[in-house]
Amino acid sequence: MRTDSSPGTLPAREHLPAGNAGTPVLDVVIPVYNEEKDLGPCVLRLHDHLKRTFPYAFHITIADNASTDTTPQVAQRLEAEIAEVKSFRLEQKGRGRALRTVWSASDAPILAYMDVDLSTDLNALLPLVAPLISGHSDLAIGSRLARSSRVVRGAKREFISRTYNLILRGSLQARFSDAQCGFKAIRRDVAQVLLPMVEDTGWFFDTEMLVIAERAGLRIHEVPVDWVDDPNSTVHIVKTATDDLKGVWRVGKALATGSLPLDRIARPFGDDPRDRDIQDVPKGLAQQLVGFCVVGGLSTLFYLVLYSAFRSFSGSQIANALALLVSAVANTAANRRLTFGVRGRGGAVRHQAQGLVVFGIGLALTSGSLAALNAASSDPSHSTELAVLIAANLAATVLRFLLFRAWVFPDRDTAGRPESSSTVVAAHNPSSQTCTTGGYRAYQQQPYQPQGPLPQRMPLPQQQPYAQGGTTTTQFRAGEAADGTWRDSTMQLQPVRPHDTDPGDPR
């Protein structure tokens, strides 16, 4: 069920402070299932690279997806030997489940993950997370399909990858180039709102997360990568592709029916330049122009149809007046609702009266044009009359928009009345947030009150470092954070679904 309003705004994007060396800024998650041979070399190589090249404190988190070999013991040994390494044990399989669980429990402001085979060259890691650290972007992905990427893999996998992304572009209108590259990062404040909306717990998790983020207007940064295919990969290609296509259908259906509550994260950040009060730049002008043009185009077609109908039994002046009157009433009502965002019946009569005055001006222009045409030709053709009326209506349309904006529907802020289209910060009541299980969840919240203009850019809160040392592996139920809650004052959400099961997830 789609909600009617956003429960609040996420914190403004801000460059992370550079002097906080003791606080982990980046948490790199490595989801694994029966990777006893590759896990050790992978973690050691990644740790060495981050120590040499990454300017912030970091952690590496091993997310064990119910491995049945000695992977848990390898993870524990690495945790004991390296201070920056931690390991989580999940009793259910699924890459998406592992990422959601670990990301939900992490305190690091930047969350990333990569595949254990390290197919992606690690030199792309800093360019991946840099836009998130700087506050420029919300998510970042590695792309094997970018023009400047260097990829070594077989023709079969290349064909499957490109076909899958073509399907995403054609069915879900995705604009990102590579959905399944195992090399992604996200800001933690964005993940807190985005992850509860993602249902998949397997390989489609990445795609679903990216589609929702893109549809909600979040900024996704793409990094070309150098990538070498792992010939020993255990991914079941046919089963994974089938599950992905089912996920595409599910998400496409949710988008078409409006059951995805995208309004919860649409334009969430308070530093959006479109929300700034800049002198001499009218608010919402571009959006109003688009809406007015669409309504105007439809109104013109409606007017021409009416004129042709009335012209069959009356003169041109009478037909023009009747057609313009009917279309003017419809035009004013449509612009009131769609272009200028005025809701309710309050002021509707006054708006229509003012619209009729504007109609009178348009009538004078079009009638004057017809009179001039009749003076020039005693019997003009019907097509000539229509051409003259179209030209006159174009001139009347420009004048109509200016009068609508400045007189009929002026800016409510300057007129001292509530402005329905102005942006405000919601006073969110965390205790009012509820969620139901099954399908996309319906979010309910108490009505919020305007609290003034959006906040200025604020730095992210200081994060507490992970506890160092120790050899005990922390265990979590699938879909449960460390303390069961989000560590963020913006809103309280149930991070994951404890009841998730995925017995058929292939690895």
Side-chain angles (χ1 to χ4, degrees):
M1 178 178 178
R2 190 181 179 92
T3 55
D4 293 330
S5 58
S6 174
T9 57
L10 292 175
R13 300 187 190 99
E14 178 63 27
H15 198 302
L16 297 177
N20 204 11
T23 301
V25 169
L26 174 66
D27 190 354
V28 182
V29 180
I30 305 176
V32 292
Y33 173 72
N34 289 348
E35 298 287 356
E36 57 185 2
K37 294 181 179 180
D38 295 335
L39 179 58
C42 163
V43 172
L44 293 176
R45 178 182 164 194
L46 175 60
H47 179 265
D48 176 70
H49 177 83
L50 289 172
K51 274 289 189 181
R52 290 185 294 103
T53 64
F54 195 69
Y56 293 90
F58 65 89
H59 271 300
I60 300 172
T61 303
I62 303 169
D64 178 19
N65 274 164
S67 295
T68 57
D69 60 1
T70 61
T71 297
Q73 289 73 30
V74 176
Q76 291 179 16
R77 185 178 71 250
L78 292 169
E79 183 179 20
E81 295 175 354
I82 306 174
E84 290 83 8
V85 174
K86 294 185 69 68
S87 65
F88 285 179
R89 168 74 177 181
L90 291 92
E91 299 301 332
Q92 291 176 291
K93 293 170 60 177
R95 182 178 69 174
R97 177 181 287 109
L99 293 177
R100 185 161 52 196
T101 302
V102 176
W103 281 354
S104 299
S106 178
D107 286 330
I110 306 299
L111 310 170
Y113 94 90
M114 61 182 60
D115 293 334
V116 69
D117 54 18
L118 295 186
S119 295
T120 304
D121 186 82
L122 292 178
N123 287 327
L125 181 57
L126 184 56
L128 181 80
V129 301
L132 309 186
I133 294 175
S134 69
H136 175 270
S137 300
D138 308 314
L139 299 91
I141 64 174
S143 176
R144 298 163 296 185
L145 303 180
R147 290 182 179 274
S148 56
S149 297
R150 301 183 180 93
V151 177
V152 178
R153 61 175 168 179
K156 180 180 178 180
R157 286 182 176 268
E158 181 77 10
F159 173 78
I160 293 175
S161 180
R162 292 189 177 275
T163 301
Y164 179 65
N165 283 279
L166 285 175
I167 292 174
L168 293 181
R169 289 176 177 269
S171 59
L172 301 179
Q173 288 78 52
R175 295 189 299 274
F176 48 84
S177 64
D178 193 351
Q180 290 287 25
C181 180
F183 195 69
K184 294 181 175 68
I186 186 173
R187 287 176 65 99
R188 177 177 172 269
D189 50 7
V190 177
Q192 288 179 329
V193 181
L194 187 60
L195 293 184
M197 300 172 64
V198 180
E199 284 197 355
D200 192 79
T201 59
W203 294 95
F204 188 69
F205 174 88
D206 304 51
T207 302
E208 186 171 358
M209 178 180 68
L210 290 174
V211 169
I212 295 175
E214 187 176 69
R215 285 298 186 95
L218 301 185
R219 181 176 287 168
I220 301 175
H221 177 73
E222 294 198 17
V223 178
V225 296
D226 298 339
W227 196 87
V228 179
D229 190 18
D230 179 13
N232 299 318
S233 175
T234 59
V235 177
H236 194 302
I237 296 179
V238 176
K239 180 65 166 61
T240 301
T242 302
D243 292 341
D244 286 348
L245 292 177
K246 292 179 181 179
V248 170
W249 170 259
R250 174 175 55 80
V251 174
K253 182 179 178 181
L255 292 172
T257 59
S259 59
L260 266 173
L262 296 178
D263 53 326
R264 295 185 61 246
I265 52 177
R267 293 185 61 191
F269 291 100
D271 65 338
D272 195 315
R274 295 169 293 181
D275 293 331
R276 296 175 188 169
D277 187 8
I278 304 175
Q279 188 176 4
D280 298 328
V281 177
K283 293 182 179 179
L285 178 59
Q287 182 178 357
Q288 289 178 1
L289 277 173
V290 172
F292 185 81
C293 289
V294 172
V295 172
L298 296 176
S299 298
T300 300
L301 293 176
F302 184 47
Y303 162 79
L304 293 175
V305 171
L306 291 176
Y307 176 80
S308 298
F310 294 148
R311 188 68 175 86
S312 62
F313 60 82
S314 64
S316 62
Q317 293 289 3
I318 295 177
N320 173 62
L322 290 176
L324 196 58
L325 176 61
V326 176
S327 62
V329 173
N331 181 276
T332 301
N335 276 308
R336 181 178 186 269
R337 176 67 180 268
L338 303 178
T339 303
F340 298 97
V342 180
R343 302 291 189 269
R345 298 181 179 179
V349 175
R350 175 175 55 83
H351 292 154
Q352 283 293 348
Q354 291 172 312
L356 289 177
V357 174
V358 178
F359 151 74
I361 297 175
L363 177 61
L365 285 173
T366 54
S367 297
S369 300
L370 283 176
L373 176 63
N374 291 328
S377 175
S378 59
D379 188 20
S381 65
H382 183 65
S383 59
T384 303
E385 287 182 350
L386 291 180
V388 170
L389 287 174
I390 291 174
N393 267 288
L394 288 176
T397 297
V398 175
L399 183 59
R400 187 184 303 122
F401 176 75
L402 296 177
L403 290 175
F404 273 177
R405 183 176 175 82
W407 180 46
V408 183
F409 308 108
D411 191 336
R412 268 49 174 193
D413 291 337
T414 59
R417 294 184 296 273
E419 172 57 49
S420 60
S421 61
S422 61
T423 307
V424 296
V425 176
H428 177 62
N429 181 5
S431 63
S432 65
Q433 194 82 17
T434 62
C435 107
T436 59
T437 59
Y440 285 104
R441 288 165 287 178
Y443 296 88
Q444 301 174 349
Q445 60 277 339
Q446 299 293 332
Y448 59 84
Q449 301 296 328
Q451 300 294 314
L454 287 168
Q456 299 298 318
R457 293 172 179 263
M458 297 295 292
L460 291 175
Q462 299 294 326
Q463 308 293 333
Q464 297 298 323
Y466 281 106
Q468 304 292 332
T471 60
T472 302
T473 300
T474 306
Q475 294 192 3
F476 289 86
R477 295 199 310 270
E480 182 180 29
D483 56 4
T485 61
W486 293 104
R487 298 183 182 90
D488 186 82
S489 60
T490 305
M491 60 187 65
Q492 297 292 328
L493 299 174
Q494 184 68 25
V496 286
R497 301 173 178 79
H499 63 278
D500 277 345
T501 58
D502 191 11
D505 183 29
R507 295 294 292 188

